[in-house]
Amino acid sequence: MRTLRKTGRAYGKFKELKAYIPLAVIAVFCACASTDGGAGGPVGNVIKSITGEPVVPRAANRILVVDFRGAAGGQGLRDTLGIRVRELLAADGRLAVVADEAGADLVLEGVVTGYETRPLRYNEMGLALSKRMRITVSVRLFDRDRDREIFFEREIQAFEEFSDTEPPVVPEAAALARVINALAKRISQQTIRGSYTELLTPVEKGRK
Protein backbone atom coordinates (compact mmCIF):
# COMPACT_ATOMS: atom_id res chain seq x y z
CA MET A 1 0.00 0.00 0.00
CA ARG A 2 2.87 2.37 0.78
CA THR A 3 4.17 1.85 -2.71
CA LEU A 4 0.79 2.69 -4.25
CA ARG A 5 0.55 5.95 -2.28
CA LYS A 6 4.00 7.01 -3.45
CA THR A 7 3.06 6.22 -7.01
CA GLY A 8 -0.11 8.29 -6.70
CA ARG A 9 1.80 11.31 -5.42
CA ALA A 10 4.32 10.98 -8.24
CA TYR A 11 1.53 10.82 -10.80
CA GLY A 12 -0.05 13.93 -9.32
CA LYS A 13 3.25 15.81 -9.59
CA PHE A 14 3.62 14.61 -13.20
CA LYS A 15 0.18 16.04 -14.07
CA GLU A 16 1.17 19.35 -12.50
CA LEU A 17 4.38 19.36 -14.56
CA LYS A 18 2.41 18.71 -17.78
CA ALA A 19 0.20 21.68 -16.98
CA TYR A 20 3.23 23.98 -16.77
CA ILE A 21 4.90 22.78 -19.99
CA PRO A 22 2.70 24.80 -22.44
CA LEU A 23 3.27 27.97 -20.37
CA ALA A 24 7.01 27.39 -20.42
CA VAL A 25 7.00 26.88 -24.19
CA ILE A 26 5.07 30.13 -24.73
CA ALA A 27 7.49 31.99 -22.46
CA VAL A 28 10.47 30.69 -24.44
CA PHE A 29 8.88 31.74 -27.76
CA CYS A 30 8.13 35.23 -26.45
CA ALA A 31 11.66 35.63 -25.10
CA CYS A 32 13.16 34.49 -28.41
CA ALA A 33 10.90 36.84 -30.37
CA SER A 34 12.09 39.80 -28.30
CA THR A 35 15.75 38.91 -28.80
CA ASP A 36 15.55 37.88 -32.45
CA GLY A 37 14.19 40.93 -34.19
CA GLY A 38 10.82 41.13 -32.45
CA ALA A 39 7.62 40.25 -34.25
CA GLY A 40 9.32 40.48 -37.61
CA GLY A 41 12.02 37.94 -36.73
CA PRO A 42 11.90 34.23 -37.55
CA VAL A 43 10.35 33.21 -34.23
CA GLY A 44 7.98 36.14 -34.38
CA ASN A 45 6.79 34.87 -37.75
CA VAL A 46 6.16 31.44 -36.24
CA ILE A 47 4.07 33.02 -33.49
CA LYS A 48 2.08 34.93 -36.11
CA SER A 49 1.32 31.67 -37.89
CA ILE A 50 0.21 30.09 -34.61
CA THR A 51 -2.23 32.94 -34.00
CA GLY A 52 -3.88 32.30 -37.37
CA GLU A 53 -2.57 35.06 -39.62
CA PRO A 54 -3.96 34.20 -43.09
CA VAL A 55 -1.89 33.90 -46.25
CA VAL A 56 -3.53 37.08 -47.57
CA PRO A 57 -3.02 39.86 -44.99
CA ARG A 58 -6.28 40.99 -43.43
CA ALA A 59 -5.66 44.57 -44.53
CA ALA A 60 -5.16 43.59 -48.20
CA ASN A 61 -8.18 44.10 -50.45
CA ARG A 62 -6.84 44.51 -54.01
CA ILE A 63 -4.60 42.35 -56.16
CA LEU A 64 -2.85 42.87 -59.47
CA VAL A 65 -2.24 39.75 -61.57
CA VAL A 66 0.69 40.55 -63.83
CA ASP A 67 0.64 39.01 -67.31
CA PHE A 68 2.30 35.61 -67.19
CA ARG A 69 5.78 35.43 -68.70
CA GLY A 70 8.01 32.64 -70.00
CA ALA A 71 9.08 31.05 -73.24
CA ALA A 72 7.08 27.82 -72.84
CA GLY A 73 3.66 27.35 -74.37
CA GLY A 74 3.32 30.48 -76.45
CA GLN A 75 1.65 33.81 -75.83
CA GLY A 76 -1.87 32.44 -76.25
CA LEU A 77 -1.42 29.94 -73.44
CA ARG A 78 0.04 32.57 -71.10
CA ASP A 79 -2.71 35.09 -71.86
CA THR A 80 -5.47 32.53 -71.33
CA LEU A 81 -3.94 31.39 -68.05
CA GLY A 82 -3.73 34.97 -66.77
CA ILE A 83 -7.33 35.70 -67.73
CA ARG A 84 -8.57 32.55 -66.00
CA VAL A 85 -6.62 33.27 -62.81
CA ARG A 86 -8.11 36.77 -62.67
CA GLU A 87 -11.62 35.37 -63.19
CA LEU A 88 -11.22 32.84 -60.37
CA LEU A 89 -9.78 35.38 -57.93
CA ALA A 90 -12.61 37.80 -58.72
CA ALA A 91 -15.23 35.05 -58.32
CA ASP A 92 -13.79 34.12 -54.91
CA GLY A 93 -14.65 37.61 -53.68
CA ARG A 94 -11.88 37.96 -51.10
CA LEU A 95 -9.82 40.30 -53.28
CA ALA A 96 -10.74 42.82 -55.92
CA VAL A 97 -8.68 42.35 -59.09
CA VAL A 98 -7.22 45.66 -60.29
CA ALA A 99 -5.42 46.60 -63.50
CA ASP A 100 -2.66 48.88 -62.18
CA GLU A 101 0.01 48.33 -59.56
CA ALA A 102 -0.55 51.71 -57.90
CA GLY A 103 -3.99 50.59 -56.73
CA ALA A 104 -2.91 47.11 -55.62
CA ASP A 105 -2.09 45.84 -52.14
CA LEU A 106 -0.77 42.55 -53.53
CA VAL A 107 0.96 41.61 -56.78
CA LEU A 108 0.81 38.09 -58.24
CA GLU A 109 3.48 37.19 -60.80
CA GLY A 110 3.87 33.97 -62.73
CA VAL A 111 6.22 32.37 -65.22
CA VAL A 112 5.23 29.43 -67.42
CA THR A 113 8.24 27.15 -67.03
CA GLY A 114 7.12 24.10 -68.97
CA TYR A 115 4.61 22.86 -71.53
CA GLU A 116 4.77 19.41 -73.07
CA THR A 117 2.61 16.73 -74.64
CA ARG A 118 4.05 13.23 -74.57
CA PRO A 119 2.73 10.01 -76.12
CA LEU A 120 1.96 7.33 -73.55
CA ARG A 121 0.73 4.43 -75.67
CA TYR A 122 1.08 3.43 -79.33
CA ASN A 123 -0.70 0.99 -81.63
CA GLU A 124 1.08 -1.50 -83.86
CA MET A 125 1.43 1.15 -86.58
CA GLY A 126 3.26 3.53 -84.27
CA LEU A 127 0.30 5.91 -83.89
CA ALA A 128 -0.04 7.50 -80.45
CA LEU A 129 -3.25 6.26 -78.84
CA SER A 130 -2.99 8.26 -75.62
CA LYS A 131 -1.03 11.33 -74.58
CA ARG A 132 -0.17 13.26 -71.46
CA MET A 133 -0.22 17.09 -71.45
CA ARG A 134 1.53 18.93 -68.62
CA ILE A 135 2.03 22.63 -67.84
CA THR A 136 4.20 23.98 -65.01
CA VAL A 137 4.49 27.49 -63.62
CA SER A 138 6.38 29.31 -60.88
CA VAL A 139 4.32 31.85 -58.92
CA ARG A 140 5.19 34.68 -56.54
CA LEU A 141 2.84 36.72 -54.34
CA PHE A 142 4.20 40.06 -53.10
CA ASP A 143 2.77 42.36 -50.43
CA ARG A 144 3.33 45.95 -51.59
CA ASP A 145 2.16 47.53 -48.34
CA ARG A 146 4.66 45.59 -46.21
CA ASP A 147 7.28 45.33 -48.96
CA ARG A 148 7.72 41.61 -48.50
CA GLU A 149 7.26 38.35 -50.35
CA ILE A 150 4.34 36.29 -49.07
CA PHE A 151 5.25 33.13 -50.95
CA PHE A 152 7.21 31.82 -53.90
CA GLU A 153 6.17 28.49 -55.39
CA ARG A 154 8.88 27.16 -57.68
CA GLU A 155 6.57 24.69 -59.42
CA ILE A 156 2.81 24.37 -59.64
CA GLN A 157 1.68 21.85 -62.23
CA ALA A 158 -1.45 20.56 -63.90
CA PHE A 159 -1.74 17.69 -66.35
CA GLU A 160 -4.20 15.47 -68.16
CA GLU A 161 -4.06 12.19 -70.01
CA PHE A 162 -6.23 12.09 -73.12
CA SER A 163 -6.67 10.50 -76.53
CA ASP A 164 -7.51 12.24 -79.76
CA THR A 165 -7.88 8.93 -81.61
CA GLU A 166 -9.79 6.62 -79.24
CA PRO A 167 -13.21 7.18 -77.62
CA PRO A 168 -13.87 9.31 -75.74
CA VAL A 169 -11.97 11.46 -78.21
CA VAL A 170 -10.60 14.69 -76.75
CA PRO A 171 -9.03 17.12 -79.24
CA GLU A 172 -5.69 18.51 -78.15
CA ALA A 173 -7.14 22.04 -78.02
CA ALA A 174 -9.83 20.86 -75.59
CA ALA A 175 -7.25 19.08 -73.46
CA LEU A 176 -5.19 22.28 -73.35
CA ALA A 177 -8.18 24.32 -72.19
CA ARG A 178 -8.84 21.83 -69.40
CA VAL A 179 -5.24 21.78 -68.22
CA ILE A 180 -5.09 25.60 -68.21
CA ASN A 181 -8.30 25.73 -66.18
CA ALA A 182 -6.99 23.17 -63.67
CA LEU A 183 -3.73 25.09 -63.34
CA ALA A 184 -5.55 28.41 -62.83
CA LYS A 185 -7.60 26.83 -60.02
CA ARG A 186 -4.43 25.69 -58.27
CA ILE A 187 -2.82 29.12 -58.60
CA SER A 188 -5.89 30.90 -57.22
CA GLN A 189 -6.20 28.46 -54.31
CA GLN A 190 -2.52 28.89 -53.49
CA THR A 191 -2.95 32.67 -53.58
CA ILE A 192 -6.05 32.86 -51.38
CA ARG A 193 -5.56 29.92 -49.00
CA GLY A 194 -1.88 29.07 -49.22
CA SER A 195 -2.53 25.52 -50.40
CA TYR A 196 -4.24 23.57 -53.17
CA THR A 197 -3.92 20.07 -51.71
CA GLU A 198 -7.64 19.41 -52.19
CA LEU A 199 -7.09 19.74 -55.95
CA LEU A 200 -4.34 17.13 -56.15
CA THR A 201 -5.11 14.07 -58.26
CA PRO A 202 -5.03 10.56 -56.72
CA VAL A 203 -1.78 9.97 -58.59
CA GLU A 204 -0.18 13.05 -57.00
CA LYS A 205 -1.48 12.19 -53.53
CA GLY A 206 -0.02 8.71 -53.85
CA ARG A 207 3.33 10.12 -54.95
CA LYS A 208 3.46 12.56 -52.06
Side-chain angles (χ1 to χ4, degrees):
M1 296 298 292
R2 186 177 301 170
T3 303
L4 289 174
R5 283 198 296 271
K6 286 183 180 179
T7 303
R9 286 198 297 272
Y11 178 67
K13 290 181 180 179
F14 176 69
K15 289 205 297 183
E16 292 177 5
L17 179 60
K18 286 177 66 178
Y20 284 113
I21 288 175
L23 296 177
V25 171
I26 293 174
V28 170
F29 266 83
C30 292
C32 292
S34 62
T35 58
D36 194 21
V43 178
N45 291 337
V46 172
I47 294 176
K48 277 187 180 180
S49 65
I50 292 175
T51 58
E53 178 73 17
V55 175
V56 174
R58 293 184 178 92
N61 297 306
R62 300 172 301 276
I63 185 171
L64 169 68
V65 180
V66 180
D67 291 339
F68 279 75
R69 299 176 288 112
Q75 191 63 47
L77 186 156
R78 297 191 294 272
D79 290 346
T80 304
L81 178 60
I83 291 170
R84 190 67 184 119
V85 170
R86 294 183 187 98
E87 290 174 346
L88 291 169
L89 290 175
D92 178 84
R94 170 61 184 85
L95 296 168
V97 179
V98 298
D100 63 294
E101 186 171 350
D105 302 310
L106 308 174
V107 176
L108 181 68
E109 301 175 323
V111 178
V112 179
T113 56
Y115 168 64
E116 62 178 5
T117 301
R118 290 186 177 180
L120 296 178
R121 186 166 52 89
Y122 297 89
N123 63 10
E124 63 278 2
M125 302 295 294
L127 178 67
L129 298 179
S130 62
K131 303 175 183 178
R132 183 176 187 267
M133 181 181 293
R134 179 173 179 260
I135 304 174
T136 58
V137 298
S138 61
V139 178
R140 173 179 179 261
L141 183 64
F142 187 79
D143 185 342
R144 292 186 67 249
D145 295 334
R146 300 182 185 182
D147 193 28
R148 68 179 179 91
E149 184 179 89
I150 296 176
F151 69 74
F152 173 69
E153 286 293 323
R154 189 171 301 279
E155 181 177 286
I156 298 178
Q157 70 163 358
F159 62 89
E160 179 169 322
E161 295 181 6
F162 68 100
S163 175
D164 52 5
T165 58
E166 288 185 329
V169 173
V170 177
E172 190 161 327
L176 176 59
R178 279 155 47 165
V179 174
I180 289 175
N181 188 59
L183 186 57
K185 286 182 179 179
R186 293 184 176 201
I187 295 170
S188 63
Q189 287 287 306
Q190 176 67 35
T191 301
I192 297 296
R193 296 173 178 82
S195 172
Y196 56 91
T197 53
E198 69 275 13
L199 299 177
L200 294 176
T201 66
V203 173
E204 291 172 302
K205 290 178 180 178
R207 185 187 65 189
K208 293 179 182 297

